[in-house]
């Protein structure tokens, strides 16, 4: 069928019948000299009283009849006295309503818009308009015109309204000019815009495919993109080939671009036995800083006699009414004698007992201890089991943004270090190279750094393989806990976790135990089983609520992936009933009462407690409940940790996802009373022992596996770790040798 021929038609928007604030879709009434009609389309920023030129075609709606479907729109400023009045009276400009609009028109007539744009102080001649208000009217007018122009410019390239808002916020009124000069600034600076989107604009602007600007942007994007897979660097050949594939050019052209990027310090180059490594320059600095600082800290030894240490540990055992095993005593002694220490072990091996013993013994020696963890949930859990406040690393470092920068900045650093004698970092497997570098910058020389974690957990989401590299380097002292204690042995969760880690299949369905497998070869039956477990069977048998039960899926897609499970669980656990407000954002419906997760760090967003305490910062992985949705104020209020109230603007809902089901990766650092894990086909990289082990160790009291036994066996058998290109291990060895030679001479 031939596409209808496009027409251009113009007129004044006299009424907005319907609008979707998320994507800018509107149904509007248009009037011109000869006609009155209804137009539909993505008309972001179009308000009643404005003049528009629409390009599109006439369609016949089965219910509403003939409508003009706009594919592209342009705005025209109103030119007559009457139309300018309607435009100003519409409220589109902040500070101007009907009464003010009438005064402006009476004073300046059809020159009103020109006065607002170019001579705003003349508005102060009108009673009730101060100079400040006049300038704010001009600013609002310019922003409105600039934002609308940007949306009209971007609509040709199918860039959504939400992205247009982000771009305008970043670049303001200069956005179009900057994009036309270099469209690749979008994929470099705007979160969520890919190289392909920037490239589409570049093609529209007739930028040649071999333009150096394009080649640089594509190569930078390729290296940055791969950091999401945990890589700190890429081998030069890999970067060349991947970039050439993205750019559809010869790899030789990329090779020269890499040299240029190294020359102006966008990239850093490092030789290794396996070939040349190419880093983003910032990640190269982070690796070097971590290696240098750890080795320098590690030089400090403390003069504690073994007899004194044994005596102090004996006292701690009596006061805490515990009996430390040999390796646990060694860990506590190591914390006293050495400046840097790693304590690693699986569940049930007594890591928490060691931390508590270290806290007490340090306190008895007059030393202050600071507890920290990479996520809010991990820090909260650490606080609970250690009975001492633990802060997230971001909070400890006073993370935030300056007015001039969109990059996170830390108030605590080398110039303003952490005032403490001992820092204990829990869940170290989650710490990436960038965060570790920022933390170590804030550590004074002479401060003890004790890193605690399970090296067999999934590594950090961000770049680097920090804990594993530190352990494998052999430079830092490591205590490996391998004994499962009697009480922990009673839990099949703990026993099976260690079996899985050793390559053995878990023992399931033992009577009166806590680890179950429910075989459902058919994925649809497995899906229905998970819904039933969450909504009826587990609440009835154990008294669990929504927040006690966590579904952890290896994959996001598929019948038993996170997306589909969240939709099904929301419908059954928190269905629409006419009393709960809801808000559709993209493909997700948020409803009052929903369990949600923050999916990106937001250092600036404010929160309040019921007692009036205020603060800021919500972080990737924090889980809360939707408390209130207000259409009047365009806000969603979420409560975290049962007390922390955070208000989101509708435009910020890209920071939230439903959390009835989450990926295993997102669950790191968390502990849940009950974990349900679907086991079905998924991408090969997700069917592995590391991910399976991490998932089952998130459960405190109960694990239920639902699905296929062969998939469970595949996960246990597949012990291939996805290769992470990280150079920290080698840098630690190199730095360690330098320190050793300095001590010799």
């Amino acid at each position: 069928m031939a596409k209808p021929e496009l027409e251009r038609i113009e007129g004044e928007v006299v009424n907005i019948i319907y609008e979707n604030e998320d994507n800018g879709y509107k149904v509007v009434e248009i009037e011109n000299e000869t006609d009155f009609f209804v137009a539909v389309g993505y008309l972001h920023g179009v308000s009643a009283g404005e003049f528009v030129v629409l390009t599109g075609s006439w369609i016949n709606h089965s219910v509403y009849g003939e409508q003009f479907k706009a594919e592209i729109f342009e705005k025209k400023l109103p030119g007559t006295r009457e139309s300018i009045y309607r435009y100003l009276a519409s409220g589109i400009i902040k500070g101007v309503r009907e009464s003010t609009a009438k005064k402006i028109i009476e004073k300046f007539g059809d020159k009103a818009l020109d006065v607002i744009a170019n001579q705003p102080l003349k508005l102060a001649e009108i009673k009730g308009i101060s100079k400040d208000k006049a300038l704010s009217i001009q600013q609002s007018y310019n922003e409105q015109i600039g934002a609308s122009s940007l949306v009209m410019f971007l609509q040709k390239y199918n860039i959504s309204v939400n992205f247009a808002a982000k771009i305008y916020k970043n670049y303001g009124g200069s956005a179009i000019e900057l994009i036309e000069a270099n469209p690749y600034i979008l994929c470099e600076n705007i979160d969520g815009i890919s190289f392909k989107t920037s490239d589409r604009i570049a093609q529209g602007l007739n930028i040649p495919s071999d333009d150096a600007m394009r080649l640089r942007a594509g190569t930078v994007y390729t290296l940055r993109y791969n950091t999401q897979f945990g890589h700190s660097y890429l081998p030069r050949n890999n970067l060349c080939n991947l970039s050439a594939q993205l750019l559809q050019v010869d790899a030789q052209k990329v090779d020269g671009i890499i040299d240029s990027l190294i020359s102006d310090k966008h990239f850093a180059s490092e030789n290794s036995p396996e070939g040349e490594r190419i880093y983003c320059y910032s990640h190269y600095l982070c690796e070097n800083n971590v290696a240098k600082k750890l080795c320098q800290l590690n030089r400090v030894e403390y003069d504690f006699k073994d007899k004194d240490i044994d005596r102090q540990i004996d006292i701690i055992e009596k006061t805490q009414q515990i009996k430390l095993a040999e390796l646990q005593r060694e860990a506590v002694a190591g914390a006293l004698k050495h400046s840097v220490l790693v304590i690693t072990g699986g569940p049930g091996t007594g890591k928490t007992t060691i931390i508590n013993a270290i806290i007490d013994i340090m306190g008895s020696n007059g030393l202050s201890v600071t507890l920290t963890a990479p996520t809010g949930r991990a820090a909260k859990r650490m606080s609970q089991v250690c009975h001492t406040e633990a802060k997230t690393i971001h909070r400890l470092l006073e993370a935030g943004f300056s007015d001039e920068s969109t990059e996170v900045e830390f108030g605590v650093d080398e110039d303003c270090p952490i005032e403490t004698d001992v820092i204990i970092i829990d869940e170290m497997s989650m710490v990436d190279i960038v965060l570790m570098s920022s933390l170590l910058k804030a550590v004074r020389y002479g401060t003890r750094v004790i890193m605690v974690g399970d090296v067999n957990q999934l590594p950090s989401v961000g770049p680097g393989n920090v804990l594993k590299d530190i352990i494998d380097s052999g430079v830092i002292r490591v205590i490996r806990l391998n004994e499962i204690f009697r009480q922990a042995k009673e839990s099949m969760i703990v026993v099976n976790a260690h079996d899985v880690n050793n390559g053995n299949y878990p023992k399931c369905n033992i009577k009166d135990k806590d680890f179950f497998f429910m075989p459902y070869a058919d994925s649809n039956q497995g899906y229905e089983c998970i819904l039933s477990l969450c909504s009826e069977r587990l609440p009835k048998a154990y008294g669990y609520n929504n927040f006690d039960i966590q579904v952890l899926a290896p994959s996001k897609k598929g019948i038993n992936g996170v997306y589909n499970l969240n939709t099904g669980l929301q419908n059954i656990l928190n269905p629409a009933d006419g009393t709960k407000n809801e808000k559709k954002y993209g493909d997700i419906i948020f409803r009052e009462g929903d369990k949600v997760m923050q999916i990106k760090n937001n250092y600036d967003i404010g929160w309040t407690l019921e007692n009036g305490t205020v603060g800021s910062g919500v972080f990737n992985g924090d889980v809360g409940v939707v408390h209130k949705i207000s259409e009047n104020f365009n806000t969603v209020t979420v409560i975290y940790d049962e007390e922390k109230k955070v208000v989101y603007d509708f435009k910020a809902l890209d920071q939230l996802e439903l959390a009835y089901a989450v990926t295993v990766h997102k669950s790191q650092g968390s502990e849940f009373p009950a974990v349900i894990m679907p086991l079905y086909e998924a991408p090969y990289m997700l069917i592995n022992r590391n991910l399976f082990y991490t998932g089952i160790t998130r459960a405190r009291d109960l694990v239920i596996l639902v699905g296929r036994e062969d998939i469970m066996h595949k996960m246990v058998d597949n012990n291939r770790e996805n290769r992470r290109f990280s150079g920290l291990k080698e840098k630690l060895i190199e730095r360690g040798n330098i320190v050793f030679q300095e001590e010799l001479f």
Side-chain angles (χ1 to χ4, degrees), residues 403-436:
D403 294 336
E404 297 79 26
S405 174
T406 57
E407 296 293 322
V408 63
E409 295 183 353
F410 296 106
V412 177
D413 54 21
E414 56 265 70
D415 297 322
C416 181
I418 302 165
E419 295 292 335
T420 192
D421 299 308
V422 184
I423 298 173
I424 302 177
I425 312 161
D426 198 13
E427 295 288 355
M428 259 300 298
S429 62
M430 298 178 65
V431 179
D432 63 39
I433 193 67
V434 178
L435 189 57
M436 190 64 180

Side-chain angles (χ1 to χ4, degrees), residues 413-651:
D413 54 21
E414 56 265 70
D415 297 322
C416 181
I418 302 165
E419 295 292 335
T420 192
D421 299 308
V422 184
I423 298 173
I424 302 177
I425 312 161
D426 198 13
E427 295 288 355
M428 259 300 298
S429 62
M430 298 178 65
V431 179
D432 63 39
I433 193 67
V434 178
L435 189 57
M436 190 64 180
S437 176
S438 297
L439 176 59
L440 289 177
K441 282 180 183 177
V443 176
R444 298 178 305 186
Y445 291 104
T447 298
R448 290 173 172 84
V449 176
I450 301 167
M451 295 168 274
V452 183
D454 184 349
V455 74
N456 294 306
Q457 297 277 0
L458 287 169
S460 61
V461 175
N465 212 358
V466 176
L467 181 60
K468 189 173 188 301
D469 279 356
I470 290 172
I471 292 172
D472 291 348
S473 73
V475 171
I476 305 300
R477 292 160 188 83
V478 178
I479 304 295
R480 297 176 184 269
L481 305 172
N482 48 34
E483 180 183 351
I484 308 174
F485 292 99
R486 182 180 58 79
Q487 187 176 356
K489 283 181 181 177
E490 297 174 5
S491 167
M492 291 308 298
I493 297 172
V494 173
V495 172
N496 282 332
H498 287 271
D499 280 345
V500 166
N501 195 38
N502 292 323
N504 302 314
Y505 303 141
K507 303 174 187 69
C508 307
N509 303 335
I510 297 173
K511 187 178 179 182
D512 297 326
K513 291 295 183 179
D514 52 13
F515 201 103
F516 300 93
F517 174 69
M518 304 181 73
Y520 286 93
D522 183 87
S523 57
N524 286 296
Q525 291 180 350
Y527 171 79
E528 293 298 331
C529 174
I530 291 170
L531 297 192
S532 174
L533 285 167
C534 291
S535 62
E536 298 174 11
R537 296 166 68 174
L538 294 186
K540 186 176 180 180
Y542 297 92
Y544 288 149
N545 61 38
N546 290 349
F547 277 78
D548 294 326
I549 305 167
Q550 186 60 61
V551 179
L552 300 182
S555 176
K556 291 182 177 180
K557 298 179 181 178
I559 292 171
N560 287 287
V562 166
Y563 297 142
N564 194 54
L565 282 166
N566 268 322
T567 300
L569 288 167
Q570 182 193 45
N571 288 339
I572 199 167
L573 296 174
N574 188 34
D577 61 6
T579 67
K580 302 168 191 166
N581 293 324
E582 55 184 52
K583 174 64 180 175
K584 190 172 190 299
Y585 187 87
D587 296 328
I588 301 175
I589 294 174
F590 293 104
R591 187 174 295 135
E592 290 174 350
D594 274 337
K595 183 179 179 182
V596 293
M597 175 182 280
Q598 174 83 11
I599 59 170
K600 57 181 74 173
N601 290 334
N602 186 331
Y603 305 95
D604 276 359
I605 194 167
W607 50 260
T608 58
L609 305 183
E610 283 191 11
N611 63 10
T613 302
V614 298
S616 64
V618 183
F619 302 106
N620 190 357
D622 287 352
V623 175
V625 62
V626 176
H627 173 64
K628 184 178 181 181
I629 296 175
S630 171
E631 288 287 349
N632 290 335
F633 295 99
N634 292 341
T635 57
V636 173
T637 301
V638 177
I639 295 180
Y640 294 96
D641 300 328
E642 299 179 355
E643 61 173 359
K644 189 186 294 182
K645 190 179 291 186
V646 178
V647 180
Y648 295 83
D649 187 90
F650 282 168
K651 293 177 182 176

